[in-house]
PDB file of all heavy atoms in Angstrom:
ATOM      1  N   ARG A 298      19.378  48.301  45.847  1.00  0.00           N
ATOM      2  CA  ARG A 298      19.425  48.002  44.379  1.00  0.00           C
ATOM      3  C   ARG A 298      18.484  48.951  43.601  1.00  0.00           C
ATOM      4  O   ARG A 298      17.651  48.585  42.825  1.00  0.00           O
ATOM      5  CB  ARG A 298      19.043  46.534  44.094  1.00  0.00           C
ATOM      6  CG  ARG A 298      19.703  45.950  42.890  1.00  0.00           C
ATOM      7  CD  ARG A 298      19.415  44.525  42.625  1.00  0.00           C
ATOM      8  NE  ARG A 298      18.026  44.300  42.298  1.00  0.00           N
ATOM      9  CZ  ARG A 298      17.133  43.646  43.126  1.00  0.00           C
ATOM     10  NH1 ARG A 298      17.580  43.179  44.289  1.00  0.00           N
ATOM     11  NH2 ARG A 298      15.886  43.543  42.803  1.00  0.00           N
ATOM     12  N   ARG A 321      25.451  47.674  42.898  1.00  0.00           N
ATOM     13  CA  ARG A 321      25.138  46.921  41.650  1.00  0.00           C
ATOM     14  C   ARG A 321      24.561  47.889  40.575  1.00  0.00           C
ATOM     15  O   ARG A 321      25.007  47.750  39.407  1.00  0.00           O
ATOM     16  CB  ARG A 321      24.209  45.740  41.926  1.00  0.00           C
ATOM     17  CG  ARG A 321      24.962  44.644  42.681  1.00  0.00           C
ATOM     18  CD  ARG A 321      24.044  43.554  43.261  1.00  0.00           C
ATOM     19  NE  ARG A 321      23.210  44.091  44.277  1.00  0.00           N
ATOM     20  CZ  ARG A 321      22.202  43.454  44.860  1.00  0.00           C
ATOM     21  NH1 ARG A 321      21.916  42.259  44.417  1.00  0.00           N
ATOM     22  NH2 ARG A 321      21.532  43.985  45.830  1.00  0.00           N
ATOM     23  N   PRO A 322      23.643  48.745  40.908  1.00  0.00           N
ATOM     24  CA  PRO A 322      23.079  49.605  39.784  1.00  0.00           C
ATOM     25  C   PRO A 322      24.210  50.473  39.136  1.00  0.00           C
ATOM     26  O   PRO A 322      24.104  50.811  37.998  1.00  0.00           O
ATOM     27  CB  PRO A 322      22.067  50.470  40.510  1.00  0.00           C
ATOM     28  CG  PRO A 322      21.624  49.657  41.689  1.00  0.00           C
ATOM     29  CD  PRO A 322      22.884  48.912  42.172  1.00  0.00           C
ATOM     30  N   ILE A 324      27.249  49.388  38.784  1.00  0.00           N
ATOM     31  CA  ILE A 324      28.052  48.441  37.965  1.00  0.00           C
ATOM     32  C   ILE A 324      27.317  48.237  36.629  1.00  0.00           C
ATOM     33  O   ILE A 324      27.939  48.337  35.591  1.00  0.00           O
ATOM     34  CB  ILE A 324      28.229  47.119  38.713  1.00  0.00           C
ATOM     35  CG1 ILE A 324      29.083  47.320  39.961  1.00  0.00           C
ATOM     36  CG2 ILE A 324      28.769  46.065  37.803  1.00  0.00           C
ATOM     37  CD1 ILE A 324      29.185  46.089  40.871  1.00  0.00           C
ATOM     38  N   ALA A 325      26.040  47.956  36.694  1.00  0.00           N
ATOM     39  CA  ALA A 325      25.224  47.719  35.480  1.00  0.00           C
ATOM     40  C   ALA A 325      25.218  48.965  34.569  1.00  0.00           C
ATOM     41  O   ALA A 325      25.250  48.833  33.408  1.00  0.00           O
ATOM     42  CB  ALA A 325      23.823  47.250  35.840  1.00  0.00           C
ATOM     43  N   GLU A 343      19.416  48.792  33.435  1.00  0.00           N
ATOM     44  CA  GLU A 343      19.096  48.460  34.828  1.00  0.00           C
ATOM     45  C   GLU A 343      19.692  47.111  35.305  1.00  0.00           C
ATOM     46  O   GLU A 343      19.660  46.104  34.570  1.00  0.00           O
ATOM     47  CB  GLU A 343      17.527  48.366  34.995  1.00  0.00           C
ATOM     48  CG  GLU A 343      16.832  49.637  34.934  1.00  0.00           C
ATOM     49  CD  GLU A 343      15.370  49.436  35.195  1.00  0.00           C
ATOM     50  OE1 GLU A 343      14.719  48.943  34.252  1.00  0.00           O
ATOM     51  OE2 GLU A 343      14.882  49.729  36.285  1.00  0.00           O
ATOM     52  N   CYS A 344      20.209  47.153  36.457  1.00  0.00           N
ATOM     53  CA  CYS A 344      20.721  45.936  37.119  1.00  0.00           C
ATOM     54  C   CYS A 344      19.567  44.920  37.195  1.00  0.00           C
ATOM     55  O   CYS A 344      18.458  45.237  37.461  1.00  0.00           O
ATOM     56  CB  CYS A 344      21.186  46.294  38.533  1.00  0.00           C
ATOM     57  SG  CYS A 344      21.473  44.865  39.563  1.00  0.00           S
ATOM     58  N   ILE A 345      19.910  43.675  36.890  1.00  0.00           N
ATOM     59  CA  ILE A 345      18.903  42.589  36.980  1.00  0.00           C
ATOM     60  C   ILE A 345      18.911  41.841  38.320  1.00  0.00           C
ATOM     61  O   ILE A 345      18.096  40.929  38.482  1.00  0.00           O
ATOM     62  CB  ILE A 345      18.979  41.590  35.778  1.00  0.00           C
ATOM     63  CG1 ILE A 345      20.261  40.715  35.908  1.00  0.00           C
ATOM     64  CG2 ILE A 345      18.958  42.354  34.432  1.00  0.00           C
ATOM     65  CD1 ILE A 345      20.279  39.513  34.998  1.00  0.00           C
ATOM     66  N   GLY A 346      19.855  42.194  39.130  1.00  0.00           N
ATOM     67  CA  GLY A 346      19.890  41.523  40.488  1.00  0.00           C
ATOM     68  C   GLY A 346      20.273  40.028  40.391  1.00  0.00           C
ATOM     69  O   GLY A 346      19.759  39.213  41.166  1.00  0.00           O
ATOM     70  N   CYS A 347      21.205  39.716  39.466  1.00  0.00           N
ATOM     71  CA  CYS A 347      21.589  38.298  39.339  1.00  0.00           C
ATOM     72  C   CYS A 347      22.788  37.930  40.184  1.00  0.00           C
ATOM     73  O   CYS A 347      23.099  36.782  40.437  1.00  0.00           O
ATOM     74  CB  CYS A 347      21.882  38.003  37.919  1.00  0.00           C
ATOM     75  SG  CYS A 347      23.273  38.971  37.244  1.00  0.00           S
ATOM     76  N   ASN A 348      23.507  38.966  40.626  1.00  0.00           N
ATOM     77  CA  ASN A 348      24.691  38.794  41.503  1.00  0.00           C
ATOM     78  C   ASN A 348      25.888  38.089  40.836  1.00  0.00           C
ATOM     79  O   ASN A 348      26.791  37.618  41.548  1.00  0.00           O
ATOM     80  CB  ASN A 348      24.356  38.161  42.837  1.00  0.00           C
ATOM     81  CG  ASN A 348      23.664  39.102  43.768  1.00  0.00           C
ATOM     82  OD1 ASN A 348      23.405  40.208  43.465  1.00  0.00           O
ATOM     83  ND2 ASN A 348      23.357  38.661  44.979  1.00  0.00           N
ATOM     84  N   ILE A 349      25.905  38.121  39.551  1.00  0.00           N
ATOM     85  CA  ILE A 349      27.078  37.581  38.815  1.00  0.00           C
ATOM     86  C   ILE A 349      28.303  38.438  39.158  1.00  0.00           C
ATOM     87  O   ILE A 349      29.422  37.922  39.265  1.00  0.00           O
ATOM     88  CB  ILE A 349      26.807  37.578  37.282  1.00  0.00           C
ATOM     89  CG1 ILE A 349      26.009  36.270  36.947  1.00  0.00           C
ATOM     90  CG2 ILE A 349      28.132  37.560  36.482  1.00  0.00           C
ATOM     91  CD1 ILE A 349      26.701  34.958  37.126  1.00  0.00           C
ATOM     92  N   CYS A 350      28.114  39.751  39.343  1.00  0.00           N
ATOM     93  CA  CYS A 350      29.238  40.649  39.680  1.00  0.00           C
ATOM     94  C   CYS A 350      29.912  40.155  40.956  1.00  0.00           C
ATOM     95  O   CYS A 350      31.144  40.159  41.093  1.00  0.00           O
ATOM     96  CB  CYS A 350      28.732  42.077  39.862  1.00  0.00           C
ATOM     97  SG  CYS A 350      27.270  42.207  40.884  1.00  0.00           S
ATOM     98  N   ILE A 351      29.135  39.658  41.889  1.00  0.00           N
ATOM     99  CA  ILE A 351      29.707  39.223  43.181  1.00  0.00           C
ATOM    100  C   ILE A 351      30.518  37.924  43.049  1.00  0.00           C
ATOM    101  O   ILE A 351      31.448  37.711  43.799  1.00  0.00           O
ATOM    102  CB  ILE A 351      28.567  39.041  44.218  1.00  0.00           C
ATOM    103  CG1 ILE A 351      28.005  40.429  44.554  1.00  0.00           C
ATOM    104  CG2 ILE A 351      29.001  38.309  45.464  1.00  0.00           C
ATOM    105  CD1 ILE A 351      26.704  40.448  45.347  1.00  0.00           C
ATOM    106  N   ARG A 361      32.496  40.227  36.506  1.00  0.00           N
ATOM    107  CA  ARG A 361      31.758  40.518  35.199  1.00  0.00           C
ATOM    108  C   ARG A 361      30.389  41.064  35.649  1.00  0.00           C
ATOM    109  O   ARG A 361      29.968  40.883  36.752  1.00  0.00           O
ATOM    110  CB  ARG A 361      31.443  39.313  34.371  1.00  0.00           C
ATOM    111  CG  ARG A 361      32.269  38.117  34.459  1.00  0.00           C
ATOM    112  CD  ARG A 361      31.610  37.135  33.490  1.00  0.00           C
ATOM    113  NE  ARG A 361      32.568  36.101  33.187  1.00  0.00           N
ATOM    114  CZ  ARG A 361      32.880  35.745  31.927  1.00  0.00           C
ATOM    115  NH1 ARG A 361      32.290  36.313  30.890  1.00  0.00           N
ATOM    116  NH2 ARG A 361      33.727  34.789  31.690  1.00  0.00           N
ATOM    117  N   CYS A 362      29.700  41.623  34.692  1.00  0.00           N
ATOM    118  CA  CYS A 362      28.302  41.998  34.921  1.00  0.00           C
ATOM    119  C   CYS A 362      27.466  41.542  33.732  1.00  0.00           C
ATOM    120  O   CYS A 362      27.892  41.713  32.585  1.00  0.00           O
ATOM    121  CB  CYS A 362      28.236  43.526  35.060  1.00  0.00           C
ATOM    122  SG  CYS A 362      26.542  44.179  35.005  1.00  0.00           S
ATOM    123  N   THR A 363      26.312  40.913  33.995  1.00  0.00           N
ATOM    124  CA  THR A 363      25.509  40.441  32.963  1.00  0.00           C
ATOM    125  C   THR A 363      25.001  41.590  32.005  1.00  0.00           C
ATOM    126  O   THR A 363      24.986  41.460  30.801  1.00  0.00           O
ATOM    127  CB  THR A 363      24.232  39.784  33.570  1.00  0.00           C
ATOM    128  OG1 THR A 363      24.726  38.754  34.462  1.00  0.00           O
ATOM    129  CG2 THR A 363      23.323  39.141  32.540  1.00  0.00           C
ATOM    130  N   GLN A 364      24.665  42.735  32.654  1.00  0.00           N
ATOM    131  CA  GLN A 364      24.122  43.797  31.862  1.00  0.00           C
ATOM    132  C   GLN A 364      25.226  44.644  31.246  1.00  0.00           C
ATOM    133  O   GLN A 364      25.029  45.247  30.182  1.00  0.00           O
ATOM    134  CB  GLN A 364      23.288  44.714  32.772  1.00  0.00           C
ATOM    135  CG  GLN A 364      21.818  44.242  32.944  1.00  0.00           C
ATOM    136  CD  GLN A 364      21.007  44.422  31.753  1.00  0.00           C
ATOM    137  OE1 GLN A 364      21.299  43.949  30.606  1.00  0.00           O
ATOM    138  NE2 GLN A 364      19.878  45.183  31.873  1.00  0.00           N
ATOM    139  N   ASN A 365      26.340  44.772  31.921  1.00  0.00           N
ATOM    140  CA  ASN A 365      27.413  45.654  31.450  1.00  0.00           C
ATOM    141  C   ASN A 365      28.710  44.848  31.185  1.00  0.00           C
ATOM    142  O   ASN A 365      29.571  44.734  32.042  1.00  0.00           O
ATOM    143  CB  ASN A 365      27.687  46.748  32.461  1.00  0.00           C
ATOM    144  CG  ASN A 365      28.927  47.574  32.136  1.00  0.00           C
ATOM    145  OD1 ASN A 365      29.384  47.555  30.999  1.00  0.00           O
ATOM    146  ND2 ASN A 365      29.344  48.376  33.100  1.00  0.00           N
TER     147      ASN A 365
HETATM  148 FE1  LIG B   2      23.324  43.723  38.517  1.00  0.00          FE
HETATM  149 FE2  LIG B   2      23.815  41.248  37.755  1.00  0.00          FE
HETATM  150 FE3  LIG B   2      25.287  43.276  36.818  1.00  0.00          FE
HETATM  151 FE4  LIG B   2      25.563  42.555  39.322  1.00  0.00          FE
HETATM  152  S1  LIG B   2      26.018  41.304  37.465  1.00  0.00           S
HETATM  153  S2  LIG B   2      25.360  44.624  38.599  1.00  0.00           S
HETATM  154  S3  LIG B   2      23.496  41.952  39.849  1.00  0.00           S
HETATM  155  S4  LIG B   2      23.148  42.901  36.460  1.00  0.00           S
END
Side-chain angles (χ1 to χ4, degrees):
R298 212 178 61 252
R321 290 169 292 172
I324 292 172
E343 289 183 286
C344 166
I345 68 167
C347 61
N348 284 2
I349 280 291
C350 47
I351 291 169
R361 334 178 161 232
C362 168
T363 304
Q364 278 285 58
N365 173 14

